[in-house]
Amino acid sequence: MYEFIRGTIAGLNPASAVVEAGGIGFFVNISLNTYTKINDKKEVNLLIHQVVREDAHILYGFAEKRERDLFRNLISVSGVGASTAIMMLSSLEPDEIVAAITSGNAETLKAVKGIGAKTAQRIIIDLKDKFGKLADSGQILISPDNTLQNESLSALVTLGFTRKDAEKVVTKIIRDKPDTTVQSVIKQALKRL
């Protein structure tokens, strides 16, 4: 089993990356979250999960360990394959997935293409206790499903700010004035960042 791959990005799109390491180009499937983190880099270090099938060896790459851990938890659920798990990680932030599972919010999970009511319930049943213990110990931060926050963060990340810095500012702005607009949040955040 491979642990990571470090090399130069030879090709990149929102669903995959070609990483050249040791003169070999490795095709690695990635989530949209990972794409956002490596989009402006030439050199990358991706944590790898390898799936070996009869007809293929498939690599999945992640910019962060917690995203790979979440991916591995998701594929441990019966009926959730690697493609579905990557789709979930591309559609929702890892914290949003964990929050949906720990709160039993099947609607958030069902919003992901390929996840039906039964699969959403199975994910919640299989992983709720595991994630609940992690949340109690403070290892996973749970953020509420918030369209205003997500749209504001997405815009600020696109403008070049780090997600971590933008998240702190946006959370404070929304907490102080919850009925604000996305444009207002972005304008205030630009003044504070």
Side-chain angles (χ1 to χ4, degrees), residues 91-156:
S91 302
L92 300 167
E93 290 290 322
D95 287 344
E96 290 176 310
I97 295 171
V98 172
I101 292 169
T102 54
S103 66
N105 185 351
E107 292 304 312
T108 299
L109 299 178
K110 284 179 7 188
V112 177
K113 182 182 175 191
I115 302 286
K118 287 182 181 179
T119 304
Q121 285 301 327
R122 195 176 305 123
I123 292 169
I124 290 168
I125 290 167
D126 286 3
L127 299 178
K128 187 173 185 175
D129 289 342
K130 183 183 287 189
F131 289 169
K133 288 175 187 168
L134 292 174
D136 290 344
S137 68
Q139 291 179 355
I140 295 178
L141 299 174
I142 298 174
S143 61
D145 184 16
N146 188 330
T147 305
L148 175 64
Q149 182 173 359
N150 291 339
E151 289 179 7
S152 303
L153 284 173
S154 177
L156 291 167

Side-chain angles (χ1 to χ4, degrees), residues 50-69:
Q50 181 184 19
V51 175
V52 179
R53 295 194 321 223
E54 189 176 300
D55 60 339
H57 290 239
I58 304 168
L59 299 177
Y60 294 91
F62 306 93
E64 296 178 341
K65 184 180 184 313
R66 69 188 193 108
E67 188 179 16
R68 182 177 67 174
D69 291 345

Side-chain angles (χ1 to χ4, degrees), residues 78-94:
S78 175
V80 178
S83 297
T84 303
I86 283 289
M87 180 65 74
M88 290 179 74
L89 290 166
S90 293
S91 302
L92 300 167
E93 290 290 322

